Amino acid sequence: MSDKKIFLAEKDIPRQWYNLAADLPSPMQPPLGPDGNPIKPEMLAKVFPMNIIEQEVSTQRWIDIPEEILEILTLWRPAPLRRAFFLEKHLKTPARIYYKDESTSPAGSHKPNTAVAQAWYNKKFGIKRLTTETGAGQWGCALAFACNLIGLKCKVYMVRISFDQKPLRKIMMQTWGSECVASPSNETHSGRQILKEMPHTPGSLGIAISEAVEDAVSDKSGNSRYSLGSVLNHVLLHQTIIGLEAKKQLKIAGEEKPDLVIGCVGGGSNFAGIAFPFVCDKIHGDNIEIIPVEPTACPTLTKGPFAYDFGDTAGLTPLLPMFTLGHGFVPEPIHAGGLRYHGMAPLVSQAAVEGLISPRAYDQIKCYEAAMLWARTEGTICAPETSHAIACTIDEAKKCAKEGKEKVILFCYSGHGLMDLAGYDKFLTGKLTAYSMPKHKIEESLCKLKKFPKAKKVKTGKW
Amino acid sequence: MSDKKIFLAEKDIPRQWYNLAADLPSPMQPPLGPDGNPIKPEMLAKVFPMNIIEQEVSTQRWIDIPEEILEILTLWRPAPLRRAFFLEKHLKTPARIYYKDESTSPAGSHKPNTAVAQAWYNKKFGIKRLTTETGAGQWGCALAFACNLIGLKCKVYMVRISFDQKPLRKIMMQTWGSECVASPSNETHSGRQILKEMPHTPGSLGIAISEAVEDAVSDKSGNSRYSLGSVLNHVLLHQTIIGLEAKKQLKIAGEEKPDLVIGCVGGGSNFAGIAFPFVCDKIHGDNIEIIPVEPTACPTLTKGPFAYDFGDTAGLTPLLPMFTLGHGFVPEPIHAGGLRYHGMAPLVSQAAVEGLISPRAYDQIKCYEAAMLWARTEGTICAPETSHAIACTIDEAKKCAKEGKEKVILFCYSGHGLMDLAGYDKFLTGKLTAYSMPKHKIEESLCKLKKFPKAKKVKTGKW
């Protein structure tokens, strides 16, 4: 049997991030301000440092990764590429299944790839403190980890119901020296307002974003900024190191290219990370099928329109051109908390408009079935988000078996599930619920978008 | 900066385990039966399969690792050797700190190294089902993982208080297809007996061992056996792959040999794993200091006598020659559950008698201080057991800084702490308790040993 793990030497780590904006056949449509006009970079200067804003609007193809960021990333990077021999054998498939293992980071997912970069650019710009929000805690942990190593203070507003029900991630953030408070809190104007109206609210990501942004922009010292874990261009940029490493590792494994690239998709960051370097190859003529997998409970790419919408629930962000279910959309409580996002990263959205990627939606029961088969063949327990990529991989590998086709499948193992075992328990005891979003609920939610400017569905080619 | 991670190719994985019994200057004293006479291998045949009993009594230096075991171990092995540059820098030490990262196994610790081997030998012998006990769940998880991949049924008796308070590991065991019940249970004679007398008992490792052994030996089909996660010779043998890999990796890193080898020690398995290949070098003349680190709350090697004692609380096992605090000794509830064992593996004990290893004891507060410093420099959250090795490493690295000595330190990072975050929370909120065992408590416990035959303290050399 060949090697199960393909390592890349630290000296061979990619030294540049890949920016898909440089290669998309049609240019990205700009974010719009409340007046419907494109916002100017400096309008975001109280929220993000200028060096990050520059990355956000950049159309440069390759952007150098500063040496000091690599110095921290190499604590766990290059991440291993693994071959799922045991799963292949179980499925009797001729497909060769590779997966990029992002669960080996100290925080347990791909999130630190951008957290370290964002903390570093903020520090470089003279910022002393970052604020952010977190739902189940994956992103909060990543930023806490990064700020600790870079030397920034960090405050995380954690959705109250998660804060109470999932104390483990809170302890991780505190271990890395971050402050973590339940949101809504008494520490911001918006938090106090909400607590006055709804003292027993479980909180929401929308509320937590409002608090984190307010905290950052209202810091009179000017030393605080806000940090976001997905959706925006610079976040996706930082994640491309995943796919760039995978490309080199596939070569080491003797594979010319993958036939299929698969990633789960919520805001879009791990999917973009594994997929964008291959989207580039597809634009330049390679025959690669690229599949983002979302939950049927939050079917942004498969059921939503491409439109201008807010990135957050409260409407504090600029309007972004993206696939969306409406910023007021509240997905059912599936276990894959990281995929419960109403919108989709504009870069991923434009790639979908262009037909460069082929979205699919899976129900969580099918995903947990896949996660169980994975645990019992490959031996590891994956995050509920990751199980979506695995479910699609299994389907495709079975198809290969049926058709006798020897495809190379690459997927992103975005994180481990050790902090999210409750879903496994529910699955094992038959208590897991299937969720599909009924059409009328989506239509209701989308009504709110009518007042916004239209986003153009510019589609230039066939791939 | 040099590489932070030193990988060994899968093809270079050690193909033999190292058996210290072959090199110990004085022969091991035999386990004794209830009558005080040495027990014969076949007396254990209802508990363990004969191929494992043969390993238990073997004095062969090198024992081949079957290819099918390597096939599973290579899911995560060879495990990375890492260099703790960030900690070194923080401590301003000239010491070079390497650690063998056993946290990368699917179960999160070194335990699967022997779980896979034991499951394989049982399967080979025709056994269909294994039973075991587990405290906090580390070992139960490892055996569940291994039995699933090898194709054995597995039943884990989990100490009731852990079963109730730490549901996460139970879910992991079930995910891997094992049955996990709270002990005492209604499913064994000894369990029912105890429940009758003490219906509200929180359970204990001693009770759980009794149930697991009874379950295995009373299975009338003859298809069940019992499996133990530490202490015994064959378990330590399987763990030597840790130190054998580390040796090859140190060479790759350009180090001729370590000056110091450090591991935490409870029953002895991870310590033996990292240390025994170097104990061998020490016997043959290398100048290496080898330090097992135990908790002050359970100071077996530093405060206990070398004597014959039972391996379990209930007195079901043979009498073993070892350092012990008495089989009735109940350690304080420190967070490092894996180090709360009254005895010490006979092979580790004999190495201590010979003066080949230099035991130390650390209080858990000092260990959590070390774990916090580790998390904030190297970025990962270690198991409470592992923190003992880190605390000692930090002490030694500081000494190097003071004395200006360039030592090479190697320690075993036995597991991650993601399932054991409660201790971090207590430390951060100032609620962690220091525990040292008062002398009279140890003496009280040791009274019970007087009726047993004496173990000879055979010491042959100076190292």
Side-chain angles (χ1 to χ4, degrees):
Chain A
M1 215 176 245
S2 326
D3 279 358
K4 293 189 187 75
K5 304 176 292 295
I6 297 113
F7 291 108
L8 193 65
E10 286 177 30
K11 68 175 174 47
D12 295 327
I13 195 168
R15 309 217 157 235
Q16 296 181 309
W17 291 300
Y18 168 66
N19 185 2
L20 181 63
D23 283 307
L24 275 177
S26 54
M28 295 290 290
Q29 293 169 70
L32 305 179
D35 56 0
N37 291 319
I39 55 156
K40 296 196 180 77
E42 50 280 15
M43 290 165 77
L44 294 169
K46 284 187 88 172
V47 183
F48 301 111
M50 278 312 291
N51 51 6
I52 283 189
I53 295 172
E54 279 160 23
Q55 277 191 352
E56 182 63 21
V57 300
S58 170
T59 53
Q60 198 181 313
R61 179 170 291 112
W62 295 100
I63 295 180
D64 288 345
I65 309 178
E67 199 59 33
E68 288 163 62
I69 291 177
L70 290 172
E71 197 56 72
I72 293 180
L73 293 183
T74 47
L75 271 177
W76 73 96
R77 302 206 76 87
L81 181 77
R82 300 182 189 259
R83 172 112 180 247
F85 280 112
F86 289 180
L87 178 66
E88 290 173 16
K89 198 175 158 193
H90 176 88
L91 297 173
K92 298 189 183 76
T93 178
R96 299 193 288 284
I97 303 173
Y98 295 89
Y99 61 107
K100 185 71 177 161
D101 188 359
E102 292 295 314
S103 76
T104 64
S105 80
S109 79
H110 67 291
K111 293 286 185 192
N113 295 334
T114 183
V116 170
Q118 290 190 49
W120 187 86
Y121 282 108
N122 272 281
K123 173 94 174 179
K124 177 100 176 159
F125 194 70
I127 300 304
K128 306 251 184 284
R129 178 176 171 273
L130 286 178
T131 68
T132 198
E133 77 292 331
T134 200
Q138 191 92 272
W139 168 243
C141 279
L143 195 66
F145 158 78
C147 283
N148 166 62
L149 285 182
I150 299 280
L152 291 178
K153 287 186 179 173
C154 176
K155 182 160 182 175
V156 181
Y157 290 86
M158 186 171 186
V159 176
R160 172 166 294 282
I161 189 162
S162 295
F163 186 90
D164 292 338
Q165 287 179 355
K166 300 191 175 182
L168 297 183
R169 287 211 182 265
K170 174 182 65 187
I171 302 173
M172 288 174 76
M173 292 179 231
Q174 291 167 337
T175 297
W176 283 314
S178 281
E179 197 183 345
C180 175
V181 295
S183 166
S185 75
N186 266 313
E187 306 184 24
T188 64
H189 175 73
S190 53
R192 284 188 297 272
Q193 202 63 26
I194 289 157
L195 282 176
K196 215 163 100 184
E197 290 163 24
M198 306 179 284
H200 303 296
T201 175
S204 74
L205 218 42
I207 296 171
I209 295 180
S210 306
E211 287 203 84
V213 173
E214 180 193 326
D215 179 329
V217 302
S218 64
D219 178 351
K220 293 207 180 80
S221 73
N223 288 333
S224 294
R225 290 295 182 279
Y226 167 75
S227 173
L228 191 68
S230 190
V231 180
L232 297 180
N233 301 346
H234 68 276
V235 182
L236 275 54
L237 175 80
H238 302 154
Q239 294 293 359
T240 57
I241 195 165
I242 301 174
L244 293 168
E245 284 180 7
K247 236 179 182 181
K248 293 188 177 197
Q249 288 163 311
L250 281 174
K251 289 269 180 329
I252 294 172
E255 305 290 2
E256 199 191 328
K257 69 164 190 69
D259 298 296
L260 273 162
V261 178
I262 299 169
C264 66
V265 71
S269 81
N270 97 82
F271 170 74
I274 190 93
F276 281 4
F278 297 101
V279 172
C280 172
D281 293 348
K282 185 165 179 168
I283 291 171
H284 294 100
D286 269 5
N287 179 18
I288 308 177
E289 191 178 356
I290 301 170
I291 307 174
V293 188
E294 59 186 15
T296 49
C298 191
T300 317
L301 281 168
T302 51
K303 296 274 176 75
F306 181 67
Y308 266 109
D309 193 5
F310 290 121
D312 67 322
T313 314
L316 293 178
T317 72
L319 290 164
L320 302 171
M322 60 182 178
F323 282 86
T324 177
L325 298 167
H327 59 277
F329 183 79
V330 181
E332 301 288 339
I334 53 168
H335 283 277
L339 307 185
R340 293 178 71 242
Y341 181 65
H342 70 277
M344 183 54 61
L347 277 169
V348 174
S349 295
Q350 184 58 35
V353 167
E354 292 272 5
L356 288 160
I357 59 178
S358 318
R360 288 193 202 168
Y362 280 81
D363 177 75
Q364 72 169 352
I365 291 192
K366 187 172 171 125
C367 295
Y368 270 97
E369 280 166 3
M372 286 299 301
L373 178 60
W374 181 266
R376 293 187 181 184
T377 51
E378 289 298 315
T380 59
I381 294 176
C382 71
E385 291 82 3
T386 311
S387 71
H388 289 69
I390 295 176
C392 180
T393 296
I394 291 173
D395 271 1
E396 289 296 323
K398 282 182 179 168
K399 215 166 87 182
C400 290
K402 213 171 152 186
E403 300 172 354
K405 275 189 188 156
E406 252 192 57
K407 286 188 183 173
V408 174
I409 303 177
L410 168 69
F411 79 87
C412 184
Y413 191 89
S414 54
H416 66 64
L418 299 181
M419 321 303 285
D420 308 275
L421 287 161
Y424 284 86
D425 194 33
K426 278 202 184 155
F427 178 81
L428 286 161
T429 53
K431 290 179 194 145
L432 199 70
T433 317
Y435 289 116
S436 267
M437 200 40 69
K439 209 175 165 194
H440 72 270
K441 270 203 131 181
I442 297 175
E443 280 166 5
E444 254 172 60
S445 165
L446 290 174
C447 279
K448 289 191 190 167
L449 301 187
K450 289 188 178 152
K451 58 182 176 189
F452 299 148
K454 290 272 164 287
K456 277 169 260 164
K457 225 166 168 172
V458 187
K459 201 171 167 174
T460 53
K462 196 168 156 49
W463 318 99
Chain B
M1 215 178 248
S2 326
D3 279 359
K4 294 188 186 74
K5 305 176 291 295
I6 298 113
F7 291 107
L8 193 66
E10 286 177 31
K11 68 175 175 48
D12 295 328
I13 195 168
R15 310 220 156 232
Q16 296 181 308
W17 292 300
Y18 167 66
N19 185 2
L20 181 63
D23 283 308
L24 275 176
S26 54
M28 295 290 289
Q29 293 169 69
L32 304 179
D35 56 359
N37 290 319
I39 56 157
K40 296 195 179 80
E42 49 280 15
M43 291 165 76
L44 294 169
K46 285 189 87 172
V47 183
F48 301 111
M50 278 313 290
N51 51 5
I52 282 189
I53 296 172
E54 279 160 24
Q55 277 192 351
E56 182 64 20
V57 300
S58 170
T59 53
Q60 197 183 314
R61 181 170 290 112
W62 296 101
I63 295 179
D64 289 346
I65 309 177
E67 199 60 33
E68 289 163 59
I69 291 177
L70 290 173
E71 198 54 74
I72 293 179
L73 293 183
T74 47
L75 271 178
W76 73 96
R77 302 205 75 87
L81 181 76
R82 300 182 189 257
R83 173 118 178 242
F85 280 113
F86 289 180
L87 179 66
E88 290 173 18
K89 198 174 159 194
H90 176 89
L91 297 174
K92 299 190 181 75
T93 180
R96 298 194 288 283
I97 303 173
Y98 295 89
Y99 62 106
K100 186 71 177 160
D101 188 359
E102 293 296 314
S103 75
T104 64
S105 79
S109 78
H110 66 292
K111 292 287 186 193
N113 296 333
T114 183
V116 170
Q118 290 190 50
W120 188 85
Y121 281 107
N122 272 280
K123 174 95 173 179
K124 177 98 177 161
F125 194 71
I127 300 304
K128 306 252 184 283
R129 176 176 172 274
L130 286 179
T131 69
T132 197
E133 76 292 331
T134 199
Q138 190 93 270
W139 168 244
C141 279
L143 196 66
F145 158 78
C147 284
N148 165 63
L149 285 182
I150 298 280
L152 291 179
K153 286 186 180 173
C154 177
K155 181 160 182 176
V156 181
Y157 291 85
M158 186 172 186
V159 176
R160 172 166 293 281
I161 188 162
S162 296
F163 186 90
D164 291 338
Q165 287 180 354
K166 300 190 174 182
L168 297 183
R169 287 212 182 265
K170 174 184 64 188
I171 301 172
M172 287 174 76
M173 291 179 233
Q174 291 167 336
T175 298
W176 284 313
S178 282
E179 197 184 344
C180 175
V181 295
S183 165
S185 74
N186 267 314
E187 307 185 23
T188 65
H189 175 74
S190 54
R192 285 188 295 273
Q193 201 62 27
I194 288 159
L195 282 176
K196 215 163 102 184
E197 291 163 25
M198 304 180 287
H200 303 297
T201 175
S204 75
L205 218 42
I207 296 170
I209 295 180
S210 306
E211 289 203 84
V213 172
E214 180 193 324
D215 179 330
V217 302
S218 64
D219 179 352
K220 292 206 181 85
S221 73
N223 288 334
S224 293
R225 289 294 182 279
Y226 166 76
S227 174
L228 191 67
S230 191
V231 180
L232 296 179
N233 301 345
H234 68 276
V235 183
L236 275 53
L237 175 80
H238 301 153
Q239 293 293 357
T240 57
I241 195 167
I242 301 173
L244 294 167
E245 284 180 8
K247 236 178 181 182
K248 292 188 176 195
Q249 288 163 310
L250 281 175
K251 290 270 182 326
I252 295 173
E255 306 289 1
E256 199 191 328
K257 70 165 190 68
D259 299 296
L260 274 162
V261 178
I262 299 169
C264 66
V265 71
S269 80
N270 98 83
F271 170 74
I274 189 96
F276 281 5
F278 296 102
V279 171
C280 172
D281 293 346
K282 186 166 178 169
I283 291 170
H284 294 102
D286 269 6
N287 179 19
I288 308 177
E289 192 178 355
I290 300 170
I291 308 175
V293 188
E294 60 187 15
T296 48
C298 191
T300 317
L301 281 169
T302 51
K303 296 273 176 75
F306 181 67
Y308 266 110
D309 194 6
F310 290 122
D312 68 321
T313 314
L316 294 178
T317 72
L319 289 164
L320 302 170
M322 60 182 178
F323 282 86
T324 177
L325 297 167
H327 58 277
F329 183 79
V330 180
E332 301 288 340
I334 54 167
H335 284 275
L339 307 185
R340 293 177 70 241
Y341 181 65
H342 71 277
M344 182 54 60
L347 277 170
V348 174
S349 294
Q350 185 57 35
V353 166
E354 293 271 6
L356 288 160
I357 58 177
S358 318
R360 287 193 202 168
Y362 280 80
D363 177 75
Q364 72 169 351
I365 291 192
K366 188 172 170 126
C367 295
Y368 271 99
E369 281 167 2
M372 286 299 301
L373 179 60
W374 181 265
R376 293 188 181 185
T377 52
E378 290 298 314
T380 59
I381 293 176
C382 71
E385 291 82 3
T386 311
S387 71
H388 289 70
I390 296 176
C392 180
T393 296
I394 291 174
D395 271 0
E396 288 296 323
K398 281 182 179 168
K399 214 166 88 182
C400 289
K402 212 170 151 187
E403 298 172 355
K405 276 189 189 156
E406 252 192 57
K407 286 188 182 171
V408 174
I409 304 177
L410 168 69
F411 79 89
C412 183
Y413 191 89
S414 54
H416 67 63
L418 299 182
M419 320 303 283
D420 308 276
L421 286 162
Y424 283 87
D425 194 33
K426 278 201 185 157
F427 179 82
L428 287 161
T429 52
K431 289 179 196 146
L432 200 70
T433 316
Y435 289 116
S436 266
M437 202 38 69
K439 209 175 164 191
H440 73 270
K441 269 202 133 183
I442 296 175
E443 279 165 7
E444 254 172 59
S445 165
L446 291 174
C447 279
K448 288 191 191 169
L449 302 186
K450 288 188 181 155
K451 58 182 175 188
F452 300 148
K454 290 274 163 289
K456 278 170 262 166
K457 223 168 169 171
V458 187
K459 200 170 167 174
T460 53
K462 195 169 155 50
W463 318 101

